Amino acid sequence: MNTPGIQALIDALPSKSWTQDPDIIAPSLVEWRDKYQGNTPILLMPGSTQECAQAVRLCAAHGLSIVPQGGNTGLVGGQTPQGEVLLSLRRMNRVRDVNVTAGAMVVEAGATLHAAQNAADAADRKFPLTLSSEGTATVGGVLSTNAGGNHVLKYGTTRDLVFGVEAVLADGSVFNGLTSLRKDNTGYDLSRLFLGAEGTLGIITAASLKLFPKPDFVARAMMAVGSVEDAVALMTRLRGPALAMFEVMSRIGFAAVTDNFENERDPFPEAHPWYVLADFEVANAAAGEALVSDLLEGAIDDGLVRDAVLAQSDTQARALLSIREHMSAGQKFLGGSIKQDITVPLDRIAEFFTRADAAMQRVVPGCRPVGFGHFGDGNIHYNVAQPDGADRDAFLARWDDVSETVFDIVDDLGGSISAEHGIGIMKRETLARRADPVKMDMLRRIKRAMDPDGVMNPRVMV
Ligand SMILES: Cc1cc2nc3c(=O)[nH]c(=O)nc-3n(C[C@H](O)[C@H](O)[C@H](O)COP(=O)(O)OP(=O)(O)OC[C@H]3O[C@@H](n4cnc5c(N)ncnc54)[C@H](O)[C@@H]3O)c2cc1C
């Protein structure tokens, strides 16, 4: 039996714009890590901005709250409804315009990041945001979480890659910020409010994204190093206009991938404590080879780099990246894993590991920290695997103790408890406890001003 609000949605929207079929809805109620399970009375799938606005107006009028969902790859539970109306942007996936002269393209929120990259590529341009989830994650999702990924080092986070957004507000009105202007000093930057808002202020329906010149050639190298200190020293040495990616992986996580996935191969004859994967954007293969050998010559002589391979073909380049892309998935072979996504200032990365690794042994003796991530941005995925042979559930029951210990160190180092995955449900209380009270108050005031009745994703972030 539908409530009057749900019935009003059914009566008003075309039949292809909603469903109550449990089989169709089911995949949208579980997420990648199987950490959150949801429920909803209805899944809305508007086909246009106007239809999305109509749905939001009806929800607001009947006191219904909405959870927006893109590709459902979020890792903090923000896209999983708990009784709210679920609104998927899956049917709004068109590339509306690609304008090479303006350096901009307008893409609807339900298009995958991969589709946006392809649209740029077809115009001989680059949209540089890259994540392992890009085949499924959507433009609306990456904007709403201000996603990071592998190329933040050179191109910035999503916030740096967006001119403006079109969004349906909590009262059903439509904000049109689809501009390609590089300069516009006419008041607050309203589009920016929606970037990283995790669906709490409105529904992004389309975005004007920045296009970049395509690099002529990308040289990819993997280097083996002896310690986190050496990885950081190498990053400082390699930093320059060509460096576009600097990813680091610890041996335990690296081996979990290369030992367990059939197609993943360790490119080195010997094991090493840490591995660095770097991209250099250069004019051609020969320039890449010259640059990398020039940069590495001193690093090898100084003992900073123990061994190195430079990809000689696209296939080899893909194979090296594939190891990094499987780092999260590889951890399942280590049993239960307590995962953190944090940032610290670049000059304190090594100190973070020294302190966190020691603290972890005090909290769960025998546990196995698996550090990896986007070191070029100070972004560490500090995942702690259970002690070998320990009881998985008993270990996972320590999630809060492990997290709080890590967050204490992060706060002390002037870092952030959420580098790129956002706050969602997972870190909402932690944010409220740890954030500067003035910041928290400003976040809440903005939320109240834009969504006084709590229509938009009311259990998330603030
Ligand atoms: C294997 C894997 C690798 C990943 N790697 C990275 C990485 O390198 N960097 C990184 O930053 N993240 C990474 N993530 C996390 C995730 O992919 C990103 O957070 C992504 O941006 C989420 O996009 P989505 O479309 O799946 O959003 P969803 O998961 O559907 O939603 C995420 C949040 O955004 C809101 N939302 C979604 N669409 C809209 C919209 N149109 N309007 C308003 N709110 C909306 C939701 O309500 C929710 O709060 C990874 C995830 C996986 C599974």
Side-chain angles (χ1 to χ4, degrees):
M1 177 70 179
N2 288 316
T3 62
I6 301 296
Q7 195 55 49
L9 288 164
I10 291 171
D11 292 343
L13 297 173
S15 58
K16 62 182 172 195
S17 301
W18 60 272
T19 182
Q20 291 185 305
D21 181 337
D23 291 338
I24 299 177
I25 297 177
S28 306
L29 301 179
V30 289
E31 44 82 74
W32 197 73
R33 285 181 180 164
D34 223 5
K35 204 167 159 44
Y36 300 94
Q37 301 206 333
N39 63 84
T40 184
I42 192 164
L43 169 63
L44 303 182
M45 300 163 286
S48 68
T49 304
Q50 290 68 29
E51 218 173 88
C52 184
Q54 185 187 13
V56 174
R57 272 196 298 276
L58 282 168
C59 287
H62 287 87
L64 296 172
S65 297
I66 301 170
V67 173
Q69 192 178 88
N72 195 15
T73 66
L75 297 173
V76 289
Q79 73 280 12
T80 311
Q82 300 296 340
E84 296 91 349
V85 169
L86 180 59
L87 190 145
S88 165
L89 281 298
R90 65 183 70 173
R91 288 180 57 227
M92 293 188 61
N93 56 9
R94 285 183 315 130
V95 177
R96 290 189 193 163
D97 186 39
V98 180
N99 187 328
V100 171
T101 310
M105 62 177 177
V106 175
V107 183
E108 289 185 345
T112 62
L113 175 55
H114 196 232
Q117 292 164 346
N118 283 346
D121 192 56
D124 201 28
R125 288 293 180 271
K126 175 180 171 108
F127 182 65
L129 189 69
T130 336
L131 329 170
S132 343
S133 54
E134 63 199 23
T136 312
T138 60
V139 166
V142 298
L143 265 66
S144 299
T145 56
N146 182 34
N150 297 347
H151 289 149
V152 173
L153 175 67
K154 178 158 185 179
Y155 295 98
T157 65
T158 304
R159 279 198 179 103
D160 301 302
L161 305 175
V162 175
F163 285 116
V165 304
E166 175 189 87
V168 175
L169 308 187
D171 63 0
S173 52
V174 178
F175 166 69
N176 185 347
L178 294 179
T179 177
S180 62
L181 295 179
R182 278 152 173 82
K183 291 187 169 179
D184 177 12
N185 277 341
T186 55
Y188 304 131
D189 190 344
L190 297 175
S191 282
R192 288 284 173 285
L193 277 178
F194 297 93
L195 307 182
E198 301 182 31
T200 58
L201 300 181
I203 299 169
I204 297 174
T205 45
S208 174
L209 305 176
K210 294 183 184 174
L211 296 174
F212 292 79
K214 256 210 289 212
D216 297 314
F217 187 80
V218 177
R220 180 163 294 156
M222 187 173 277
M223 293 150 279
V225 294
S227 64
V228 176
E229 285 82 354
D230 285 356
V232 174
L234 181 64
M235 179 173 72
T236 310
R237 190 183 284 226
L238 297 185
R239 240 183 217 280
L243 186 67
M245 175 170 90
F246 191 92
E247 298 288 310
V248 175
M249 296 164 274
S250 57
R251 171 68 197 171
I252 180 173
F254 186 93
V257 174
T258 54
D259 289 352
N260 291 298
F261 289 105
E262 204 183 332
N263 295 323
E264 306 299 331
R265 298 263 178 282
D266 184 342
F268 299 109
E270 285 171 31
H272 298 278
W274 289 86
Y275 301 87
V276 171
L277 183 64
D279 271 0
F280 302 88
E281 294 187 349
V282 287
N284 51 46
E289 205 150 325
L291 178 81
V292 172
S293 58
D294 192 32
L295 286 169
L296 286 187
E297 201 176 348
I300 291 174
D301 289 348
D302 297 351
L304 206 54
V305 170
R306 295 175 165 205
D307 203 350
V309 292
L310 179 64
Q312 299 297 328
S313 65
D314 285 352
T315 311
Q316 283 182 11
R318 271 198 300 277
L320 293 180
L321 182 63
S322 181
I323 299 174
R324 168 64 185 86
E325 289 184 334
H326 281 82
M327 284 295 285
S328 284
Q331 276 157 54
K332 68 170 183 254
F333 299 105
L334 302 174
S337 196
I338 298 179
K339 303 190 176 193
Q340 312 296 342
D341 157 49
I342 56 104
T343 339
V344 295
L346 299 186
D347 58 327
R348 312 207 67 178
I349 293 176
E351 186 183 347
F352 169 79
F353 274 97
T354 306
R355 289 176 59 177
D357 287 355
M360 285 308 105
Q361 294 313 316
R362 288 193 294 275
V363 179
V364 186
C367 70
R368 295 165 295 166
V370 183
F372 67 100
H374 319 290
F375 270 33
D377 322 317
N379 178 188
I380 300 156
H381 297 308
Y382 190 72
N383 297 349
V384 180
Q386 68 178 63
D388 208 4
D391 179 74
R392 186 175 193 273
D393 292 339
F395 172 70
L396 291 179
R398 307 295 308 279
W399 192 292
D400 288 346
D401 299 334
V402 167
S403 300
E404 290 298 315
T405 307
V406 172
F407 294 158
D408 283 345
I409 297 167
V410 168
D411 280 347
D412 200 43
L413 295 177
S416 166
I417 62 162
S418 178
E420 56 179 14
H421 296 163
I423 297 299
I425 306 295
M426 187 190 267
K427 293 183 180 171
R428 180 183 170 160
E429 284 173 19
T430 312
L431 179 73
R433 255 187 299 113
R434 290 180 177 267
D436 169 13
V438 177
K439 171 180 172 157
M440 227 32 240
D441 185 47
M442 286 173 75
L443 290 176
R444 288 183 177 131
R445 280 202 243 176
I446 291 170
K447 168 72 177 170
R448 273 198 300 275
M450 294 200 48
D451 183 17
D453 299 322
V455 175
M456 296 306 315
N457 225 355
R459 289 170 303 98
V460 163
M461 196 163 75
V462 281

